[in-house]
Amino acid sequence: MSEPVIKCESVYKIFGENAETMLKEANGNVDAKTFQENGCIVGVNNASFEVSKGEMLVVMGLSGSGKSTLLRCISRLTDATGGKIFIEGQDLLNLNNKELIDLRRNKMGMVFQSFALLPHKTVVENIAFPLQIKGINTEESIKKAMNMVKLVGLDGRENYFPRELSGGQQQRVGIARSLAVEPDIWFLDEPFSALDPLIRKEMQDEFLRLQEKLQKTIMFITHDFDEALKLADRIAIMKDGIIEQLDTPANIVLNPATEYVRKFTEEVPREKVLLIEDVMDSTTTEDIGDLKVSKDEIIENVAEKILTQEKTVAVIDNNNNIVGSINPTKIINTVFGGRKNNN
Amino acid sequence: MELFKKYPKLFQWIFLLIVFFALCFAIDVPETYKFIRGQAEFVKDPNQSTFVFLGKEVRYYAFDVFWRLPPLLGWLPIWINDSLFFLMNDWMPMEFWNEDTQEYKTRPLVLQITRNLTAFMTFLIELIREILLGGLETIVAFTSWDWIDANPWAELPGLPWTIVAAGSAILAYKLGGRGLAIFAGLAMTYISIFGQWKPSMQTLSFILVAAPLSFIFGLSLGIAAFKSKRVEKALYPILLVMQTMPQYAVLVPALVLFGVGDHAAVIITMIVAVPPMILLTLLGLRAVPPEVIEAGRMSGCNNWQLMFKVLIPTARRDILIGVNQVIMVCFSMAVISAFIGAKGLGFNLLLALNQLNIGLALEAGLCISLIAILLDKMSLAWANKQVDYFGNLNFFQRNKNSLFFGLIMIVGIALAYFGSIYFKEYNYLFEVPHNKGISTADFWNKGVDWIFDTFFVYIKAFNTWLIVEVLQPMRALYLRMPAIATIVLVVGAGYLIGGIRSALVVCGLTLFIALSPWWDRALVTTYMATFGVIVSCIIGFTVGTLCFQNKHSTKFMLNVCDIFQTFPSFVYLIPVMMLFGITDTSVLIAVIVYATIPATRYTIEGLRSVPSGLHDAATMSGVTKFQRLFKIEFPLAFPHMMLGLNQTIVFALFMVIIGAFIGTEDLGQYILKALSDKKGAGIGLTLGICVAFIGLIFDNLIRTWVDKRKKHLGID
Ligand SMILES: Nc1ncnc2c1ncn2[C@@H]1O[C@H](COP(=O)(O)OP(=O)(O)O)[C@@H](O)[C@H]1O
Ligand SMILES: [Mg+2]
């Protein structure tokens, strides 16, 4: 496997006067309570994970659980108190100022919950801003920015000011700005949380469409579990600065690591999350019907087809080889009864 | 008892008032007490007592300590004076190279520094002045007089007025479009035709140096304070005092340090104009949302880019208010610094006022106001300018303004040349001389005379009534307060509003004034300011509320406030002197007009700040307009309005002090006197601090109250 794009090793972020000495004394055993008594707030507590190229990691957690702080550590908007962070193999915390700026100018893009647009610049100027900061001349940068305007579907509004746009449109500008320098790594901090539910759904779909086209390495932050399930390749669930579980949506739903995670998964409609692969029998029986379904399908999408069958259905992989089978009763169990299986 | 429990604060206030009045009645006026006119404190009088402190002898009239505190701080002005003189004349003498005599000379360090600063300022002013009006100083500065004699072609005249007028119109067009261009062109033409060209350009050159310098210094110091807590902490008390320090008072010490002339005026103007710029910069930078800063960082900004491309543009609204303030202060100072020998319109204005030539004063005042409004609008337009990226322009379209200006240059010079042939005596196409323009002064003077003749009886009657029935008794009441009673009242109010901390701050400020030799004077200043503030608030509040009922009138009123605010403070004295001559009434009316501006503005802005959601909710629950106004809008807008009261007090105090020019018997009179006193620096500065402290007492009380109230209402 190739090198991970983002790699965190025991990252800590602790706010407070003598955070560093306290962390050293704690010897890797950070307890939020004792720290709080000493005037320190634990933002991120021992986070270790990797994100590989083209993957979308969604960090999920309630407000105040340290999601933004984790993201700020990885983009080095704040310096982590302890641990190591590698971006494409470079030790992030050892970069000097110039290298850091270079990294941000070429490799990273970030989208913010409150949009964080520059109020004095028009749509196209906002999008061209990172390019101009990089030193690209006005004409060129405006031309590139116009392409981005088209990409996010704001053509015709390029000369509007942010205050003249709706929330959804403003966030489109935010997205376009973060993509303007064609970064490899894309950070999004609750980008759709400030939007209405309908617009949010529209933006999520649009976001998936963009990602299909662009294939960035993404860290996406949300407090909405449904959103996480919808978008994620893998989900990290945070609580009080600790990553409680990091896994694929299916595994999180099927095998919650802690009580806290299980609570989230309880209400989740499984058929929307699980793939055929997750519930199939890997043994093939003789009694197989004509219908074949791909192992990568989400159950919901093929459930109806399977349920109309009398016989067991064959499951195939990308190369049309049969890799397993699935019985209609299994589907019924998953949809209606499966919820208590994992207690 | 029930009531007492329900309104504990109310009873505390009543108790405070009872104590205050009890003290007032218990302490008799000493028989020897009289209000001291002139500068009697500094005349030897056998009735005076003396004490010696730090080697300085202080003379004063001794009273019962309850009636008036002894001036224990009387040595302070003398001491400030001596220190200043020591600094200037004896401290750290060093060898400095002298260009003129080509040898080393021994000079005290401070003197050398101020002289260099002075030379630098003079150079800048002369540079602009000579472009506009012609002259040789700048060229000589780079070469020598001998060189000029050898090369007579270098004796260039200034720009003809036609070029300057057209040039400013083009600049205005580039910045703000056609409307502004027409205004600029007309204003400049007016100034020229009415023979005010030379003084106007002198004033303009002064402003064009003072305003940008103040802006740059204010912005940089604001940034420094934003970046470093320590700088902020060091600056903050100075800024606070400077905000309420009357401009007159700064003149006097500057006179000692920098001498007389335009350069000193520029330096003083900077001292006055920089503090509000710093405060507003800091305020604006603080208000930038952290996510915007992070977005800037993630876009790859280095510190420099972050500051100038993200932070400052985002904080633009507040910074622009700062620029507006800088321009306002600069024009105010352009007039006031005529007292220390600045040339230009201000000087003419003061001279005309002194001779009671209202017509001439009016003309000068109008010109200075026109330039002020023009510069204000132009700076605003500049900041709001937008770039069009999509217009496909060719070379001529892109450079049409510069090309047009080039053309104007040629035409203007040609015109001026023909003018020099055509006009025998004065070349009107080059510059209309001061006394050869159209003058409306006679017309105005006749008008004034007519008003006086026609309405004399009424004006006089009103004047007498106001003075005898209102002002005199009010003043007597203020002076009748025993010092100890006043202090108890002020400190008590501080305690009730802001607890022990506020009480201590207010107590310190009051004690400083009470222990200075000018408590009586301070009382008179306070009385005039109080009267002005009360009337201004009533007017401002009413007008503001009425205007708020309609969108158009709201906008109109705010615009009116904007324009009025741009007028230099001295201009307000012209019409009132026209009507009421040299009396306290004149000063008070000027105070009222001037202080009504912030009162009105803040009333409107306060009402505006009420969330529209509440507005709708109230309407839906079926309240009438009046109920809505009194039950919802006023209570919610009140904190913001109180900040307006704060500004109103500062404006009123400034105007009262300026009113000394007309002749009032308050602190201002002494400040004005200190200007012509050899040892005035210490006195002027101490007096200024006294006035500033009066302002700060109210400032502290109001601000503390507003903060509490806002927390209570849950606003921001
Ligand atoms: N600059 C800071 N100083 C002190 N505490 C902070 C700071 N930033 C965040 N925190 C604390 O760290 C915790 C995690 O915050 P954050 O990462 O913003 O949460 P989330 O983004 O998940 O809502 C919170 O308890 C918050 O109060
Ligand atoms: Mg957050």
Side-chain angles (χ1 to χ4, degrees):
Chain A
M1 207 179 119
S2 67
E3 197 172 25
V5 178
I6 302 171
K7 184 173 172 193
C8 291
E9 288 175 3
S10 301
V11 172
Y12 290 92
K13 175 69 196 182
I14 293 157
F15 299 101
E17 289 276 305
N18 42 1
E20 259 164 61
T21 43
M22 282 205 59
L23 181 64
K24 253 183 214 141
E25 281 163 20
N27 239 336
N29 212 340
V30 174
D31 176 47
K33 255 205 188 128
T34 33
F35 271 69
Q36 192 146 25
E37 276 156 20
N38 288 296
C40 286
I41 297 172
V42 179
V44 175
N45 193 344
N46 197 2
S48 304
F49 60 88
E50 294 175 1
V51 187
S52 47
K53 192 163 172 50
E55 187 188 21
M56 173 161 14
L57 176 69
V58 174
V59 182
M60 212 289 300
L62 297 181
S63 152
S65 56
K67 309 176 299 281
S68 300
T69 309
L70 177 62
L71 196 67
R72 276 168 180 64
C73 288
I74 295 171
S75 54
R76 219 178 127 182
L77 285 169
T78 90
D79 286 334
T81 319
K84 278 195 178 313
I85 301 169
F86 297 94
I87 301 290
E88 296 186 339
Q90 285 187 82
D91 186 346
L92 184 73
L93 297 175
N94 272 345
L95 295 185
N96 65 27
N97 211 9
K98 193 178 161 305
E99 290 165 332
L100 182 65
I101 285 174
D102 273 349
L103 185 70
R104 285 176 178 158
R105 283 183 181 175
N106 300 311
K107 286 260 159 72
M108 291 178 171
M110 185 151 169
V111 182
F112 297 86
Q113 178 174 1
S114 63
F115 320 137
L117 302 178
L118 299 174
H120 62 288
K121 287 186 182 281
T122 58
V123 167
V124 69
E125 285 171 327
N126 258 297
I127 299 173
F129 181 70
L131 297 169
Q132 289 169 356
I133 287 299
K134 237 170 116 168
I136 297 177
N137 69 32
T138 314
E139 205 172 324
E140 183 87 350
S141 64
I142 292 287
K143 212 168 90 195
K144 278 195 174 165
M146 276 312 289
N147 289 337
M148 286 295 154
V149 169
K150 290 205 185 84
L151 183 71
V152 296
L154 280 175
D155 4 9
R157 289 184 208 274
E158 59 269 12
N159 284 330
Y160 283 37
F161 281 97
R163 59 173 181 274
E164 297 165 329
L165 299 177
S166 71
Q169 289 167 336
Q170 288 192 36
Q171 195 56 296
R172 282 167 195 266
V173 181
I175 288 174
R177 175 178 64 186
S178 69
L179 290 175
V181 291
E182 297 171 10
D184 300 329
I185 308 171
W186 201 10
F187 299 120
L188 300 102
D189 190 350
E190 308 208 16
F192 308 138
S193 298
L195 305 178
D196 298 333
L198 268 182
I199 310 267
R200 195 183 310 162
K201 181 165 179 320
E202 187 189 315
M203 295 288 284
Q204 286 165 357
D205 294 339
E206 180 120 1
F207 173 69
L208 283 175
R209 179 182 67 82
L210 270 178
Q211 168 61 359
E212 195 136 300
K213 190 149 97 191
L214 303 171
Q215 292 296 322
K216 308 276 186 205
T217 305
I218 295 178
M219 271 188 78
F220 186 107
I221 289 189
T222 179
H223 62 242
D224 179 355
F225 196 45
D226 290 336
E227 187 168 72
L229 292 175
K230 180 169 178 183
L231 304 176
D233 291 329
R234 286 192 302 157
I235 300 179
I237 295 185
M238 282 186 85
K239 183 190 173 219
D240 298 337
I242 301 172
I243 297 181
E244 296 265 312
Q245 186 172 9
L246 196 162
D247 216 327
T248 59
N251 277 343
I252 283 186
V253 172
L254 289 174
N255 311 306
T258 66
E259 187 62 14
Y260 182 76
V261 178
R262 196 189 59 77
K263 274 201 185 130
F264 274 110
T265 62
E266 250 174 13
E267 296 301 316
V268 174
R270 273 122 216 283
E271 67 277 12
K272 287 192 177 170
V273 182
L274 300 185
L275 307 179
I276 292 295
E277 184 183 31
D278 299 324
V279 291
M280 71 178 187
D281 298 318
S282 35
T283 53
T284 44
T285 52
E286 295 301 305
D287 194 19
I288 277 185
D290 299 335
L291 183 70
K292 289 173 183 162
V293 293
S294 160
K295 73 181 173 70
D296 293 330
E297 285 284 0
I298 293 178
I299 295 177
E300 188 187 29
N301 296 348
V302 289
E304 213 180 319
K305 270 199 279 181
I306 298 175
L307 286 178
T308 52
Q309 300 290 312
E310 310 261 304
K311 295 178 180 173
T312 307
V313 175
V315 179
I316 52 171
D317 66 5
N318 292 345
N319 302 328
N320 252 338
N321 300 323
I322 295 182
V323 289
S325 65
I326 188 158
N327 195 309
T329 40
K330 187 93 187 189
I331 299 283
I332 295 176
N333 275 343
T334 313
V335 176
F336 296 105
R339 249 158 246 184
K340 284 170 199 91
N341 285 356
N342 301 303
N343 285 3
Chain B
M1 224 44 228
E2 273 299 291
L3 265 179
F4 186 81
K5 282 223 176 89
K6 208 164 166 199
Y7 302 108
K9 272 269 140 106
L10 182 69
F11 280 88
Q12 285 170 359
W13 280 104
I14 292 175
F15 177 71
L16 178 63
L17 283 180
I18 292 172
V19 173
F20 170 70
F21 281 111
L23 279 173
C24 284
F25 287 113
I27 300 167
D28 276 333
V29 186
E31 273 172 22
T32 50
Y33 173 75
K34 66 175 197 297
F35 183 77
I36 303 155
R37 304 214 134 77
Q39 254 170 319
E41 285 101 325
F42 305 100
V43 182
K44 267 217 163 99
D45 178 347
N47 293 331
Q48 282 173 326
S49 322
T50 57
F51 73 88
V52 177
F53 184 80
L54 290 176
K56 315 283 178 223
E57 192 195 49
V58 181
R59 278 192 301 277
Y60 67 105
Y61 291 93
F63 298 113
D64 184 6
V65 205
F66 291 112
W67 175 249
R68 294 289 187 257
L69 301 185
L72 294 179
L73 290 176
W75 49 270
L76 184 63
I78 311 172
W79 182 81
I80 291 178
N81 248 334
D82 289 357
S83 317
L84 262 182
F85 274 93
F86 172 72
L87 267 185
M88 287 295 286
N89 298 325
D90 297 317
W91 188 64
M92 295 259 290
M94 283 183 182
E95 300 267 302
F96 291 103
W97 177 251
N98 187 321
E99 272 291 330
D100 293 337
T101 53
Q102 296 285 312
E103 62 189 10
Y104 281 100
K105 241 179 136 178
T106 314
R107 253 191 178 177
L109 179 66
V110 179
L111 186 70
Q112 178 67 20
I113 292 174
T114 58
R115 286 295 171 268
N116 281 339
L117 213 62
T118 303
F120 176 64
M121 293 296 168
T122 313
F123 172 76
L124 286 182
I125 299 172
E126 286 298 334
L127 176 67
I128 296 179
R129 195 163 281 180
E130 283 167 10
I131 291 174
L132 292 170
L133 291 169
L136 294 171
E137 299 281 338
T138 310
I139 300 173
V140 171
F142 284 112
T143 56
S144 68
W145 284 110
D146 297 335
W147 187 86
I148 290 285
D149 287 338
N151 303 279
W153 57 266
E155 290 182 39
L156 292 173
L159 290 174
W161 72 266
T162 44
I163 295 181
V164 178
S168 33
I170 291 174
L171 186 62
Y173 178 76
K174 196 171 152 70
L175 295 176
R178 189 154 358 128
L180 194 60
I182 292 175
F183 178 64
L186 285 183
M188 286 305 194
T189 313
Y190 168 88
I191 288 169
S192 169
I193 292 180
F194 282 75
Q196 303 280 358
W197 191 252
K198 191 165 176 201
S200 293
M201 290 307 115
Q202 282 171 337
T203 299
L204 189 64
S205 57
F206 162 83
I207 304 271
L208 288 183
V209 174
L213 280 180
S214 306
F215 172 73
I216 292 168
F217 268 85
L219 195 70
S220 337
L221 284 173
I223 292 171
F226 175 72
K227 291 231 154 176
S228 144
K229 263 262 165 301
R230 217 179 291 165
V231 174
E232 189 197 338
K233 274 202 182 125
L235 279 177
Y236 197 68
I238 305 175
L239 294 183
L240 262 188
V241 174
M242 284 310 298
Q243 285 271 290
T244 40
M245 180 85 120
Q247 295 144 352
Y248 264 168
V250 197
L251 291 184
V252 202
L255 202 60
V256 177
L257 287 173
F258 302 104
V260 189
D262 289 299
H263 50 83
V266 167
I267 292 167
I268 295 166
T269 305
M270 283 174 59
I271 294 174
V272 183
V274 163
M277 188 69 217
I278 298 179
L279 276 180
L280 282 158
T281 307
L282 192 56
L283 195 77
L285 291 178
R286 282 267 173 69
V288 175
E291 287 210 329
V292 170
I293 300 175
E294 289 182 345
R297 285 215 172 283
M298 286 312 288
S299 299
C301 290
N302 54 33
N303 286 338
W304 187 261
Q305 288 169 323
L306 192 69
M307 182 52 72
F308 288 95
K309 302 210 156 157
V310 177
L311 279 163
I312 290 178
T314 308
R316 204 176 49 156
R317 228 180 78 96
D318 289 303
I319 291 177
L320 276 183
I321 299 176
V323 171
N324 174 281
Q325 293 246 331
V326 163
I327 290 180
M328 216 175 91
V329 172
C330 283
F331 277 94
S332 251
M333 292 307 287
V335 182
I336 290 173
S337 49
F339 279 109
I340 56 164
K343 293 186 208 119
L345 288 168
F347 181 75
N348 294 5
L349 177 65
L350 285 188
L351 199 68
L353 277 182
N354 239 338
Q355 299 163 344
L356 278 181
N357 188 336
I358 302 294
L360 276 184
L362 207 61
E363 282 188 333
L366 188 61
C367 284
I368 208 171
S369 303
L370 275 179
I371 303 179
I373 295 171
L374 181 62
L375 279 193
D376 188 40
K377 295 261 180 264
M378 272 165 82
S379 64
L380 205 72
W382 181 47
N384 285 328
K385 204 167 150 44
Q386 252 191 65
V387 191
D388 178 13
Y389 296 105
F390 304 104
N392 213 346
L393 303 177
N394 62 28
F395 176 79
F396 285 103
Q397 281 164 324
R398 251 180 293 141
N399 296 302
K400 64 176 177 198
N401 288 322
S402 322
L403 291 175
F404 198 54
F405 183 70
L407 190 70
I408 293 279
M409 262 313 246
I410 297 167
V411 173
I413 290 171
L415 273 178
Y417 181 71
F418 286 126
S420 67
I421 298 167
Y422 181 76
F423 295 112
K424 289 277 135 28
E425 208 169 343
Y426 302 108
N427 183 355
Y428 290 105
L429 289 174
F430 176 63
E431 181 193 324
V432 182
H434 184 43
N435 47 2
K436 289 290 178 248
I438 305 171
S439 176
T440 47
D442 278 340
F443 170 77
W444 294 113
N445 284 336
K446 289 222 176 71
V448 173
D449 288 344
W450 180 79
I451 291 177
F452 241 84
D453 292 340
T454 321
F455 298 108
F456 180 73
V457 197
Y458 310 106
I459 291 178
K460 173 104 185 175
F462 173 72
N463 206 353
T464 319
W465 170 80
L466 191 71
I467 291 177
V468 175
E469 299 293 328
V470 184
L471 298 183
Q472 298 278 21
M474 196 169 162
R475 178 184 146 127
L477 271 181
Y478 266 74
L479 286 172
R480 173 63 183 77
M481 285 191 294
I484 216 73
T486 321
I487 294 173
V488 166
L489 182 69
V490 176
V491 175
Y495 181 72
L496 288 185
I497 289 175
I500 198 80
R501 209 187 122 88
S502 232
L504 282 179
V505 172
V506 169
C507 181
L509 297 175
T510 322
L511 271 182
F512 181 90
I513 307 172
L515 292 175
S516 79
W518 300 297
W519 176 251
D520 276 14
R521 297 270 158 175
L523 286 179
V524 176
T525 301
T526 317
Y527 123 75
M528 302 218 334
T530 321
F531 182 82
V533 166
I534 290 173
V535 180
S536 303
C537 279
I538 294 172
I539 299 176
F541 188 69
T542 321
V543 172
T545 310
L546 286 180
C547 285
F548 182 68
Q549 304 310 315
N550 173 307
K551 234 185 212 146
H552 296 293
S553 57
T554 308
K555 207 168 162 220
F556 174 75
M557 203 62 220
L558 284 179
N559 273 335
V560 171
C561 286
D562 268 349
I563 291 181
F564 269 79
Q565 206 169 17
T566 326
F567 291 167
S569 38
F570 241 92
V571 170
Y572 287 86
L573 290 181
I574 304 171
V576 293
M577 279 178 75
M578 196 159 126
L579 290 174
F580 295 99
I582 303 182
T583 55
D584 273 13
T585 317
S586 292
V587 178
L588 281 175
I589 291 182
V591 171
I592 290 167
V593 177
Y594 193 51
T596 302
I597 304 168
T600 314
R601 171 194 290 279
Y602 277 80
T603 306
I604 294 180
E605 284 179 353
L607 288 173
R608 253 189 178 182
S609 71
V610 177
S612 59
L614 272 174
H615 206 107
D616 299 341
T619 316
M620 286 313 290
S621 58
V623 296
T624 65
K625 211 167 185 181
F626 269 101
Q627 282 173 324
R628 196 181 68 207
L629 202 58
F630 283 96
K631 291 256 151 75
I632 294 169
E633 290 177 341
F634 281 151
L636 280 174
F638 207 55
H640 199 84
M641 289 187 199
M642 284 302 269
L643 289 182
L645 175 62
N646 219 340
Q647 281 293 305
T648 310
I649 291 172
V650 173
F651 271 52
L653 272 176
F654 277 14
M655 200 45 133
V656 168
I657 300 301
I658 285 175
F661 181 74
I662 296 188
T664 50
E665 283 184 327
D666 68 334
L667 292 169
Q669 186 191 23
Y670 278 8
I671 298 181
L672 202 56
K673 271 192 177 144
L675 264 175
S676 49
D677 189 337
K678 243 193 151 162
K679 298 198 166 149
I683 301 176
L685 200 62
T686 317
L687 285 164
I689 293 175
C690 283
V691 182
F693 280 7
I694 297 176
L696 282 182
I697 292 170
F698 288 107
D699 182 79
N700 187 289
L701 294 181
I702 293 172
R703 246 174 236 286
T704 318
W705 185 85
V706 168
D707 286 349
K708 281 199 161 174
R709 188 75 199 155
K710 274 192 172 161
K711 255 195 207 130
H712 181 75
L713 289 173
I715 314 175
D716 61 48

